[in-house]
Amino acid sequence: PDEGGGGTAGAMARALLLGESEALPVAWLLALRRLGLGHLIAVSGLHVGLAAGVVWLGLAALAPQRRWAPVAVSVGLYLALVGARPSLLRASVMTLIALASLATERRPITRNAWAAAIGGMVLWQPRLLLDLGFQLTAAATLGLICLAPALTRRWREVLPAWLALALAAGVAAHLFTLPWSVGVFFLWSPISILLNLVAVPWTAVTLVVSFAVLVAGDLPGIGSAAWWLLDRVVAPFGWLAELPVAAWASWPTMLSPRLAAALAAVVGWSLARARPALAGAICLLGAGLLLRGGDSDPLHPLTGGGPGGEVHRARGAEAVLLDVGQGEAIVLRHGARVVLVDGGGWLAPGIGQRVLLPALVRLGVRRLDAVVLTHPDRDHCGGLVEIVHLVEVDELWSSPGWRGPCHRHLVGRAGLRLRPLWRGVERRVGAWKLTALHPPAGDRSRGNERSLVLRAETTGGSILLTGDVGTATERLLVAERGSAVAADVLKLGHHGSRHSTSERFLDRVRPRLAVVSAGAGNSYGHPAEEVLDRLAARRIPLYRTDRGGQIRLRPMATGAWRIEQPWRRTLP
């Protein structure tokens, strides 16, 4: 399909047929992942089965023994067209084994087919064992083989056969992939099983229409009708992006894969073997554990946390400079009140789910009062675009007038209220008072010098957050704001670039310590030697994410600051 002819419908058709999801709207992709429906656009058994089924039915005039060869050829052609992706390769091998059973008139044994497919793929390419797509397809298929039949037999006693079969398949796949859902993606979607009851058959319908567009999309008359129909059947996928980000739809959580696997095993056994009352009690206990979201995994150097990676419960006000590589993301919170200032997003996409979400969950944060955008550069804004689709966020705080896709996406996010921040505007986050020092109202300039500058103050101390401003804005702040820029902690501007943190600015801020967010070994040389020399000359200690990971700052009643990093702890 041609995106120029079909727009989003064409992009969805390519995602379903070929697994090329890059052209899909970001909101659609994130909604599918958040709701546990990401497998719909990962070409796998559904797609292979449909390709084989279409050919099988098209040859209905032939005897079954004569159909297997054309069907096998169609599966091979589809595999050659899309590529040897782990899920597609697994499904294709199992389909070919089933067709070989038909050809030799032997009853296929599904477990043997699974073992042959998985074992053959590992022998062919041992590194597949470390591939996430391979792990997911192997686990989900094993659940359909081992657990779904037992659940189907049990539930047929009280449910229609079709519903028992569909529900059993959804529950089995959900449980067998739970270690990855909460151990790798950090999201548990309670509603995904019910959504799959509708989404899977609707995806099959969309696949059929996509095939029709692929074959007849350029034919006069027929092609326009096929595109019209594709637009209609694709529309419901866009509706998913309009669903609110809420706990009933997705819950940020974090369990170690081992604990999640044990939980899945106990719940699966209880559903298949235990009495209904016991099964219900075990399911409720399992849901409670997922909602609590403890963690026993070792600390990851990117996501931070504390020794052992335990979930933190903040008692007082604190600021956390997250380690997002060559980017910036800062959490300000007091109790349950939390804002996220910028969200990183340098280079590879996916930082929202891979880095920000686990970092927030380790801090015990599952909803945000607001996200704050200092400026729409990708290394500050990219993660915010993702995180507003993964956790509950009430408001967006930013100075209006920015241009670019990142800012447009945030402003256009359904349910996200925009509250402008200009110089002199104040906002409260629990015990934190945030005062905007820059830019002035009505400023419509572009670039780093228009970055939002915030002074965050709470009982016991203050922090100056400078975005990516350089020396030009620093001179303006010193001239116009005077002592208002003074703060205990200075977040270095522009990741410690040599074009920021001037001597005059340091003398006016008079920080007791400084922090900087920069990527380890970054090609920009951040933080710059000139800046390090200025800090050293004034005996201002510097804490760096590229050297020590995430930085947690807590003002103490004595006026001192408690500083914690994953790889070092100190109380100055």
Side-chain angles (χ1 to χ4, degrees), residues 1-2 9-21 24 40-44 46-48 50-51 54 77-83 85 88 203-215 227 230:
D2 182 357
M12 191 67 186
R14 278 200 307 280
L16 293 175
L17 291 173
L18 307 176
E20 298 175 358
S21 59
L24 279 176
L40 297 178
I41 54 174
V43 286
S44 59
L46 176 64
H47 308 73
V48 173
L50 181 62
V54 168
L77 290 174
Y78 185 57
L79 182 61
L81 175 67
V82 178
R85 306 184 185 201
L88 188 62
T203 300
V205 172
T206 310
L207 273 168
V208 172
V209 178
S210 297
F211 272 120
V213 170
L214 181 65
V215 174
W227 277 111
L230 182 62

Side-chain angles (χ1 to χ4, degrees), residues 41-231:
I41 54 174
V43 286
S44 59
L46 176 64
H47 308 73
V48 173
L50 181 62
V54 168
V55 176
W56 183 270
L57 293 176
L59 300 175
L62 299 178
Q65 293 79 5
R66 295 186 177 182
R67 298 188 213 175
W68 69 268
V71 172
V73 171
S74 70
V75 171
L77 290 174
Y78 185 57
L79 182 61
L81 175 67
V82 178
R85 306 184 185 201
S87 57
L88 188 62
L89 188 58
R90 186 273 311 159
S92 299
V93 172
M94 292 186 68
T95 301
L96 292 175
I97 292 174
L99 291 172
S101 299
L102 289 175
T104 56
E105 298 183 350
R106 300 185 63 179
R107 182 173 66 87
I109 301 176
T110 313
R111 288 190 179 91
N112 290 351
W114 179 88
I118 298 301
M121 291 171 66
V122 171
L123 288 175
W124 170 58
Q125 218 172 45
R127 63 183 179 182
L128 279 175
L129 284 171
L130 303 178
D131 184 271
L132 182 59
F134 175 80
Q135 295 168 5
L136 286 170
T137 189
T141 307
L142 191 61
L144 296 176
I145 294 171
C146 296
L147 181 58
L151 297 180
T152 302
R153 288 192 296 270
R154 182 155 194 164
W155 292 343
R156 272 180 178 170
E157 300 173 3
V158 293
L159 296 173
W162 69 269
L163 181 57
L165 178 62
L167 194 60
V171 170
H174 184 89
L175 288 175
F176 270 66
T177 55
L178 191 66
W180 289 268
S181 300
V182 301
V184 176
F185 300 119
F186 311 104
L187 274 178
W188 176 53
S189 179
I191 200 176
S192 65
I193 296 172
L194 296 178
L195 284 177
N196 271 290
L197 293 177
V198 178
V200 170
W202 192 259
T203 300
V205 172
T206 310
L207 273 168
V208 172
V209 178
S210 297
F211 272 120
V213 170
L214 181 65
V215 174
D218 294 328
L219 297 179
I222 299 176
S224 59
W227 277 111
W228 178 88
L229 182 58
L230 182 62
D231 283 332

Side-chain angles (χ1 to χ4, degrees), residues 244-474:
V245 181
W248 57 266
S250 61
W251 179 256
T253 190
M254 183 178 292
L255 295 181
S256 69
R258 292 180 182 178
L259 182 56
L263 174 62
V266 171
V267 171
W269 172 86
S270 69
L271 290 174
R273 303 294 181 186
R275 295 179 180 274
L278 177 59
I282 291 176
C283 288
L284 287 175
L285 288 173
L289 185 59
L290 288 168
L291 291 172
R292 182 177 178 273
D295 176 46
S296 59
D297 276 349
L299 181 67
H300 190 284
L302 275 181
T303 56
E310 70 272 11
V311 173
H312 290 280
R313 310 293 177 187
R315 295 179 180 177
E318 70 172 2
V320 185
L321 199 68
L322 303 179
D323 183 5
V324 292
Q326 185 63 21
E328 194 164 285
I330 303 166
V331 171
L332 295 174
R333 71 167 174 170
H334 177 237
R337 302 294 305 278
V338 188
V339 297
L340 175 64
V341 182
D342 290 333
W346 184 249
L347 293 181
I351 191 172
Q353 192 156 18
R354 290 185 296 105
V355 178
L356 285 182
L357 185 61
L360 291 174
V361 174
R362 276 197 171 97
L363 292 171
V365 175
R366 290 182 171 83
R367 67 170 303 279
L368 296 168
D369 291 272
V371 292
V372 183
L373 176 65
T374 61
H375 64 298
D377 282 1
R378 184 175 178 180
D379 58 333
H380 290 249
C381 184
L384 294 184
V385 170
E386 299 175 34
I387 207 67
V388 297
H389 292 276
L390 298 172
V391 301
E392 292 184 71
V393 183
D394 293 335
E395 297 177 339
L396 167 65
W397 299 352
S398 178
S399 56
W402 288 110
R403 298 180 182 178
C406 190
H407 183 260
R408 285 199 304 270
H409 184 97
L410 288 173
V411 172
R413 172 70 174 98
L416 193 61
R417 298 186 299 273
L418 174 62
R419 298 188 69 187
L421 277 181
W422 298 113
R423 184 172 63 194
V425 175
E426 295 182 358
R427 297 274 186 267
R428 288 277 182 178
V429 185
W432 286 103
K433 181 179 79 170
L434 276 67
T435 305
L437 305 182
H438 183 78
D443 189 345
R444 289 295 189 273
S445 61
R446 303 181 187 180
N448 291 335
E449 297 298 347
R450 199 191 145 204
S451 290
L452 188 64
V453 177
L454 294 171
R455 186 177 188 273
E457 183 179 5
T458 187
T459 303
S462 57
I463 303 176
L464 188 63
L465 306 178
T466 54
D468 272 0
V469 299
T471 54
T473 299
E474 289 176 356

